[in-house]
Amino acid sequence: MQRYFSFRFIKNQYKLRVSYELQIYVLKSLRDLLFLAMEFFIENTSVQVISSVKHDRTPLRDLAYEYLKKITSRKQICMGIKLSVENLAIIWVFFCFLNGSKGLTIVQKGARCLIIARTLRIFLFSMTILPSPKPFCNFTDPINPFKVLVGGACNDLLYSGHVTIYTLTAISFTILSRQYSSRILRYGLPILIWFHIIQRIICTILERHHYSIDMFLGFIVTSLIWECKPLHIDLPVVPQNLFLHLKQLVFPKYHLTVKEV
């Protein structure tokens, strides 16, 4: 009997504190996170499988790389703060969370863009195998789906996966900065992030991690996916007063005390 009342008490408390709108939001968010995790797993496996295929590994000629090399050196353009794609992704998500409900909406849309853009990328680099821009590169490791290869393996992955993160970060900062009253933040943040993104794109080309066509196509495809409304149907809708609901859920006694006062 005690267990029955205990279970009923928990059920009643759950209904009181967790609204239906919040339940739907959490379920849809978990759905998109699961799809994103599955995509990264399949992509990581595909990269190793494609890189193990024997083919001519002579790098292709990259005219944009040759032009950039003439006008500047890698040391000159790549000076300053170097943020890895993982750190940039963390900054992107953290910045969105700092901007409340609007930021959560942006990051949910960004996650959908990542799923679509990087899934399309798997089909592209699997259909046509291009040699790595790095000479004498050869992938000989055994295929291990659970071994994460952040920088790819040893063939060109058309288009770049890094530039999808770069583009989404720049778009998110630009949109969210519009709501700030300070002109320094409203105009300074987008200029700063776009400057860093352009610098990282040029550095990636000069360091021979990708061909210039990879960076260009990745930027264009990600931007088009972001603007294509039919691809963002059934996104998680952030509930009104989400953070207030979460505070009530985690700190119910504190919420009741404040309400009574």
Side-chain angles (χ1 to χ4, degrees):
M1 184 64 70
Q2 186 178 0
R3 290 183 180 179
Y4 172 75
F5 282 115
S6 177
F7 175 76
R8 190 170 65 178
F9 174 78
I10 294 173
K11 185 178 180 181
N12 291 335
Q13 289 296 313
Y14 177 82
K15 289 181 177 180
L16 287 173
R17 299 180 192 175
V18 182
S19 64
Y20 176 75
E21 190 180 11
L22 181 60
Q23 294 179 49
I24 296 300
Y25 173 73
V26 171
L27 289 175
K28 287 185 176 181
S29 299
L30 291 175
R31 174 202 64 189
D32 287 351
L33 284 175
L34 177 61
F35 284 149
L36 187 59
M38 289 173 59
E39 191 284 325
F40 280 134
F41 179 80
I42 296 172
E43 181 182 4
N44 183 58
T45 306
S46 301
V47 166
Q48 298 180 51
V49 172
I50 295 300
S51 295
S52 64
V53 176
K54 293 183 179 180
H55 60 276
D56 183 7
R57 300 190 182 276
T58 304
L60 302 176
R61 186 176 181 183
D62 190 343
L63 296 179
Y65 164 75
E66 295 176 8
Y67 177 74
L68 288 172
K69 196 174 180 182
K70 284 182 180 179
I71 63 174
T72 184
S73 68
R74 188 176 68 182
K75 291 182 179 180
Q76 290 174 337
I77 198 68
C78 296
M79 289 179 62
I81 300 174
K82 288 186 179 181
L83 293 175
S84 65
V85 67
E86 299 85 4
N87 292 333
L88 196 62
I90 293 172
I91 292 173
W92 166 47
V93 174
F94 183 70
F95 180 75
C96 289
F97 270 89
L98 288 179
N99 284 271
S101 297
K102 189 172 182 180
L104 290 177
T105 302
I106 294 294
V107 81
Q108 295 283 2
K109 187 176 180 180
R112 178 69 61 86
C113 282
L114 275 181
I115 295 170
I116 298 172
R118 297 186 75 109
T119 300
L120 180 61
R121 177 173 177 258
I122 295 174
F123 290 105
L124 290 179
F125 71 64
S126 298
M127 287 190 293
T128 303
I129 301 178
L130 300 179
S132 171
K134 294 180 179 179
F136 313 110
C137 185
N138 192 18
F139 179 78
T140 56
D141 297 339
I143 298 172
N144 183 2
F146 299 99
K147 182 180 180 180
V148 180
L149 298 175
V150 178
C154 196
N155 61 279
D156 180 59
L157 304 177
L158 179 68
Y159 44 85
S160 169
H162 287 62
V163 82
T164 58
I165 303 289
Y166 296 159
T167 306
L168 290 173
T169 302
I171 291 174
S172 301
F173 268 76
T174 303
I175 294 174
L176 294 174
S177 297
R178 295 172 186 168
Q179 63 186 347
Y180 297 147
S181 57
S182 172
R183 288 188 176 182
I184 296 177
L185 294 176
R186 192 163 65 247
Y187 297 108
L189 278 177
I191 292 173
L192 184 65
I193 194 66
W194 278 108
F195 176 80
H196 182 73
I197 293 306
I198 293 172
Q199 182 196 37
R200 291 312 307 156
I201 289 175
I202 295 175
C203 286
T204 302
I205 296 172
L206 288 174
E207 291 170 354
R208 304 298 278 164
H209 292 305
H210 275 288
Y211 296 110
S212 56
I213 187 63
D214 301 333
M215 310 305 289
F216 177 76
L217 281 180
F219 174 77
I220 296 298
V221 171
T222 307
S223 301
L224 290 176
I225 292 173
W226 179 273
E227 294 296 334
C228 187
K229 293 182 180 180
L231 297 177
H232 302 288
I233 297 174
D234 199 34
L235 280 176
V237 179
V238 181
Q240 293 183 349
N241 301 321
L242 172 63
F243 294 99
L244 185 62
H245 287 305
L246 292 177
K247 183 187 287 187
Q248 180 183 358
L249 180 64
V250 179
F251 305 108
K253 294 182 179 179
Y254 173 80
H255 179 78
L256 289 173
T257 304
V258 173
K259 191 174 181 182
E260 290 172 359
V261 172

